[in-house]
Each structure stands twice: as structure tokens, then as C-alpha cells.
Amino acid sequence: MTKVGERSVRSDKKRDVKITVHTELKEMIYKLAYITDTTVMHLVEDMVIYAIGSKRILGEYSPCIVRDIRIDNALYVGHKDAERVGKSPSGINYVRVKTRLTEQEFTKLSSIAYGLDVRPARAAAILVDEAVHDEYFVDRYAKRYLTKNISDEQLMELKKIIEYISRDVEYNVSWANLLSYIIREVTDPVIEIKDKVNSFIVKSWRD
């Protein structure tokens, strides 16, 4: 905890960040938040943090960097003729979504914004869009939620179901798709996800 004047300021205090996103992107964010029982604010924070730490995502935007920046141990060189990402869009199809970041993460976000020559909120919106379209992030997020909320036995049964289904389809079934399906299909009057999963497992093997 540090002191500013006579006020004490927590070192882990978070800063508000309000991003502007398309309504379709907002729906995707809200859907993932719903199926993982996570607040939108927390989910968006996790998305920004993930994207900041993703060399793949930042690498894809390296052609758009106009000023040199260093994120963790990686240096991204700016170019005066770099492709501009543009300011935050506006209009009836765009809405604002709020999140909060620690000072450490906000500093990294501000560095990215500086490199892209945009405001931090615009940089955050770009990172969120990348994260929500990142299959690894979405799948890992769903699996992490399940791991925290169901038993080891239930998790093993779900793995068996995924393997069984994947043998009969042309694509691999993801944890995110399976979780979304369970939430949608299990209409029993149960509250906890572990009960929904149990009901789904019983029905799957019975059918």
C-alpha cells in the first residue's frame, strides 16, 4: 500500500476500462460468461490479460505498431508507414462493456495502446476481440470452469463422452461446445453445474 498525499492507495487497486464492441461480439462475450457462470467484467479482464500475454496475438498486430514497445521480454518495432487500426467505432451497432485491470496490467495495455497509437480502451477492445475468437482460450476457459465445479469422476466421464462423440463427427468436440450443450439441453430444475453435468452423463450413457 502506498500513500498519495494523506490518502492510502492499494497497490492492487484496479482501474476501470470501458471498451466499445460490436453487438455481435458483446453477445459472444455474454454467452461465454453465462455458460461459465462468470461476470462479464471478470471475463473481459481475463480476455485482456490472456491477449496481452499471447505472443501470437501481439505478433499479428506487429504490422500495425507505429512506435517501439516492449511487452514482457518481447520487443515490437514500430514503423512510420504501419497500418493503422483506427479509433473506436461508433453507431447503433456498437455498445460499451466495462472491465477493470490492475495497475500492472493497465500499464502493459497502455504500452500496447502507445505502440498502436490508440487509446487504452481501443487497444483493450482489439485484444478482447482476438481472445474471444481464440479457440484455445475459449476451450481452456470452459474446461477450467468445469474442473473447478465438478468432481474428478464427472470430468473423466465427460472426457469419455467427448472421445465417443468425436469418433462420429468430422471435427473435435471442444469443452466449450460441450458445456454450452449441457447448459442448453439439461432442463432439470437443478441449480449447480455439477448436478447438470451428472444429469447429462446419466442421460448420455442411458441413451
Side-chain angles (χ1 to χ4, degrees), residues 35-90:
I35 67 173
T36 57
D37 193 27
T38 307
T39 65
V40 170
M41 183 178 294
H42 189 193
L43 172 59
V44 174
E45 177 187 3
D46 287 341
M47 286 178 167
V48 173
I49 293 173
Y50 170 80
I52 288 175
S54 171
K55 288 183 172 58
R56 180 194 66 78
I57 291 177
L58 296 185
E60 288 183 356
Y61 278 88
S62 58
C64 304
I65 294 177
V66 299
R67 303 187 185 98
D68 294 353
I69 57 172
R70 182 179 293 276
I71 305 297
D72 295 327
N73 295 322
L75 174 66
Y76 300 90
V77 180
H79 307 278
K80 62 180 180 180
D81 56 347
E83 179 183 351
R84 302 280 177 151
V85 297
K87 298 180 179 180
S88 296
S90 60

Side-chain angles (χ1 to χ4, degrees), residues 89-105:
S90 60
I92 60 174
N93 291 324
Y94 291 89
V95 294
R96 301 185 79 182
V97 178
K98 179 181 175 181
T99 190
R100 306 186 76 192
L101 298 174
T102 63
E103 286 292 339
Q104 181 181 11
E105 296 300 335

